[in-house]
Amino acid sequence: MKIVIGGQVEKKDIEKLIKEKNPDIETVVKSDLEAAMLLKQGQADYYFGACHTGGGGALAMAISLLGKASCHTISMPGKPPVKEKVEQAVQEGGKAFGFTGDHKEKAVEYLLDALKA
């Protein structure tokens, strides 16, 4: 599995969290535009991105290139990720996921659990 990390904040920390949970996952840190392009071209399996709202800078490029149906905001300010909603987003075919930087630990944990299920 290859995950490209875009968004606006916490990119290296997100990559570190992914590697801590599963060192076999290939990760690439890119700008949000480059990350979304890699996913659109089939050169990555999933996109993770963080910003301060979870759905703006984290997903804007992904939404514009992939369409809203493939993109899910899994946390927002004051609304941490909910495991069941993350699982639902993955089951619905989500490929790009945005969250707030302060929720990165749970967001990455729930996403990786859902993606391997």
Side-chain angles (χ1 to χ4, degrees):
M1 177 189 322
K2 182 174 182 178
I3 298 172
V4 64
I5 302 158
Q8 300 299 311
V9 298
E10 315 272 359
K11 294 179 188 183
K12 284 294 185 185
D13 289 341
I14 293 167
E15 181 178 46
K16 183 178 174 191
L17 289 167
I18 293 169
K19 291 294 188 183
E20 286 174 358
K21 188 149 176 80
N22 187 340
D24 294 332
I25 295 174
E26 184 180 353
T27 56
V28 180
V29 174
K30 294 286 186 181
S31 71
D32 55 341
L33 177 59
E34 293 170 318
M37 286 298 295
L38 284 176
L39 186 60
K40 182 176 176 113
Q41 295 168 347
Q43 296 178 29
D45 300 303
Y46 298 100
Y47 171 109
F48 289 7
C51 68
H52 297 293
T53 64
L59 282 178
M61 284 296 135
I63 290 170
S64 68
L65 293 176
L66 305 168
K68 180 69 177 133
S70 297
C71 304
H72 297 268
T73 298
I74 61 167
S75 85
M76 301 176 78
K79 294 184 177 181
V82 175
K83 189 172 183 72
E84 292 77 17
K85 289 185 177 179
V86 173
E87 291 170 349
Q88 181 180 359
V90 170
Q91 290 170 358
E92 291 175 353
K95 295 289 185 184
F97 305 95
F99 45 88
T100 58
D102 60 333
H103 295 148
K104 63 185 176 290
E105 289 88 359
K106 285 295 179 193
V108 169
E109 177 187 340
Y110 294 164
L111 280 167
L112 294 182
D113 287 348
L115 292 171
K116 75 177 181 184

